[in-house]
Amino acid sequence: MLFNIKKKKKFNYVVEGEGHPLVLLHGLMGGLSNFSKLIKYFSERNFKVFAPELPIYSLPVINSNVENISKYVILFLEEVVKEPATLVGNSLGGHVGLVVTEKRPKLVHTLVLTGSSGLYEKSFGETFPKRGSREYIRTKTEEVFYDPKIATEELVDEVFATVNDTKKAIKTLYIARSAIKHNMKDELKSIQKEVCLIWGKQDGVTPPEVAVEFNENLPNSDLYWIDKCGHAPMMEHPELFNEILYNWLIKRI
């Protein structure tokens, strides 16, 4: 799916369809293409789907953290979306969605988390060992998915290019460290919005016990499992993910 990227002030984003606003928040090593099938599905079913490019690499290094990415999303909701939206966040995007919902609940209609950080996650670590090794990057990228074939050559190339770009690699590490330090367990009980958790049963980055802990600590949450699925259900099982999310959302809008 080719995206028509709109530019408004400092925002670069995709917008498709008309109806209830759905704002998609990608992960640290992810991008808008991770949500391509979701964008098509929901934009054809009375949803206005927004997918902003998060400022992973455009913030100054010292400001490269979860808090400042969340501030960016808050401004996006205020200046572009302009009405309470359903936030759909994968990995870091879920963490950002949690922060936005906790700090500015009036901007959020409902929240959807899939493979979200915010409690516990496994990552590349504190450094990028073997940065020059494409095979190492391929292995780490394949580990994100239950089916390693989802890690296409194009996807491996994207990750490889990122970790071998010194500036991008440093910013990625700063954000990853800030996500690990920014544990939200104490804030979860204050989030009163309805939350849909859609989790891969074989997620090795944010394992199933993370989903269970989210579900136990969020006051208004529903947990759905997808079998034979890793860290990015909307990529690995897009049809089932979309069906679960659609059936959950239409009862709430």
Side-chain angles (χ1 to χ4, degrees), residues 195 197 210-223:
V195 182
L197 302 160
V210 174
V212 172
E213 189 170 342
F214 270 126
N215 195 41
E216 289 174 347
N217 286 278
L218 287 161
N220 297 301
S221 62
D222 297 294
L223 174 57

Side-chain angles (χ1 to χ4, degrees), residues 60-226:
V61 171
I62 196 167
N63 293 329
S64 295
N65 54 49
V66 172
E67 183 178 357
N68 282 302
I69 295 172
S70 301
K71 288 178 180 177
Y72 178 92
V73 172
I74 287 170
L75 286 175
F76 182 80
L77 292 169
E78 290 176 333
E79 298 180 17
V80 178
V81 182
K82 297 181 179 179
E83 63 177 303
T86 295
L87 307 184
V88 182
N90 173 239
S91 199
L92 174 74
H95 198 158
V96 170
L98 282 162
V99 174
V100 173
T101 305
E102 195 260 332
K103 292 190 178 300
R104 298 294 299 277
K106 289 185 179 179
L107 298 175
V108 179
H109 175 274
T110 37
L111 176 63
V112 182
L113 304 177
T114 182
S116 176
S117 59
L119 288 176
Y120 164 77
E121 62 178 314
K122 296 178 183 176
S123 65
F124 277 100
E126 291 295 298
T127 60
F128 283 113
K130 303 180 184 176
R131 281 174 55 197
S133 169
R134 192 175 184 281
E135 282 311 303
Y136 171 79
I137 298 303
R138 173 191 293 282
T139 300
K140 299 303 289 185
T141 305
E142 288 178 348
E143 286 175 2
V144 171
F145 305 102
Y146 175 82
D147 180 0
K149 292 178 183 176
I150 304 295
T152 62
E153 294 299 319
E154 182 181 9
L155 185 59
V156 173
D157 284 342
E158 287 177 12
V159 177
F160 182 72
T162 297
V163 301
N164 281 280
D165 179 313
T166 301
K167 289 183 179 179
K168 287 184 177 181
I170 291 170
K171 290 181 177 182
T172 299
L173 284 173
Y174 267 71
I175 295 168
R177 288 172 182 170
S178 83
I180 292 168
K181 291 177 182 176
H182 192 262
N183 187 290
M184 294 196 66
K185 184 171 183 177
D186 292 341
E187 284 85 28
L188 295 181
K189 292 192 184 301
S190 68
I191 295 176
Q192 296 300 317
K193 298 293 181 179
E194 290 189 273
V195 182
C196 179
L197 302 160
I198 306 176
W199 230 264
K201 279 189 176 181
Q202 289 78 28
D203 187 338
V205 181
T206 48
E209 57 265 29
V210 174
V212 172
E213 189 170 342
F214 270 126
N215 195 41
E216 289 174 347
N217 286 278
L218 287 161
N220 297 301
S221 62
D222 297 294
L223 174 57
Y224 300 89
W225 297 104
I226 296 182

